[in-house]
Amino acid sequence: MVTVRAVCVFCGSSVPADTRYRDAARALGALVADRDIALVYGGASVGLMGELADAALAHRGRVIGVIPAGLFAREVNHTGLTELHEVASMHERKQLMYDLSDAFIALPGGLGTLEELAEVATWSHLGLHGKPLVLLDVEGFWNPLIAQLDRMVSTGLLGPASRDLIQQARSPGEALAALTAAVPARPEKWITEQER
């Protein structure tokens, strides 16, 4: 079992026309706040990120944003957060988000979300952390990625234990349940913290 005091959520800085994506981000933000779990995210006020943060704040949640200085103008940093950390680079952003969190959820997003998801899963695979990771699916958004991961296993490019590091959930409640029920990963350490 994992104690989740803070969850890092990866998601897009855009909002799709399909309102179910916005609704999922809002529902997750509200549920995290209602469960007294701190929300750690990319610090923007726009897109699914803004919807997520606004919902958590509306439910009196603790919301921690992490944003690189150069993205302030593009992503429009959120000015109403509990904490906003300005960092110098994207790498520092991800590192601080990871350090502040006990678990990870990926809502739908674009290349940035996919990259953050892949990096945190790789760090777990390499034994740098044992924090659980869940894809929060909206209308089958993550199904092609799940199929690709399963194909990697079937071709022998990814071990089943590493594939199992990425879980899938259909609702915010299911995602939080999967995180708290997870057994912390204890893979063999391939590299040290300093080598990442």
Side-chain angles (χ1 to χ4, degrees), residues 92-145:
E92 286 180 43
R93 177 196 222 179
K94 291 181 293 183
Q95 181 68 58
L96 183 55
M97 289 167 68
Y98 301 156
D99 290 344
L100 293 171
S101 305
D102 301 306
F104 307 93
I105 295 175
L107 277 165
L111 289 176
T113 301
L114 190 59
E115 188 267 340
E116 290 164 334
L117 165 65
E119 186 165 26
V120 76
T122 301
W123 285 3
S124 183
H125 165 77
L126 294 174
L128 293 172
H129 71 82
K131 300 174 183 181
L133 169 62
V134 174
L135 302 174
L136 178 46
D137 212 351
V138 178
E139 295 303 309
F141 180 86
W142 290 117
N143 287 346
L145 177 60

Side-chain angles (χ1 to χ4, degrees), residues 70-90:
L71 286 184
F72 266 57
R74 289 183 184 261
E75 286 189 353
V76 190
N77 65 297
H78 200 301
T79 58
L81 303 179
T82 311
E83 297 175 31
L84 180 64
H85 299 271
E86 181 182 347
V87 294
S89 69
M90 289 296 286

Side-chain angles (χ1 to χ4, degrees), residues 8 64 66 74-75 122-123 132 158 174:
C8 178
I64 304 165
V66 183
R74 289 183 184 261
E75 286 189 353
T122 301
W123 285 3
L158 181 66
E174 189 180 318

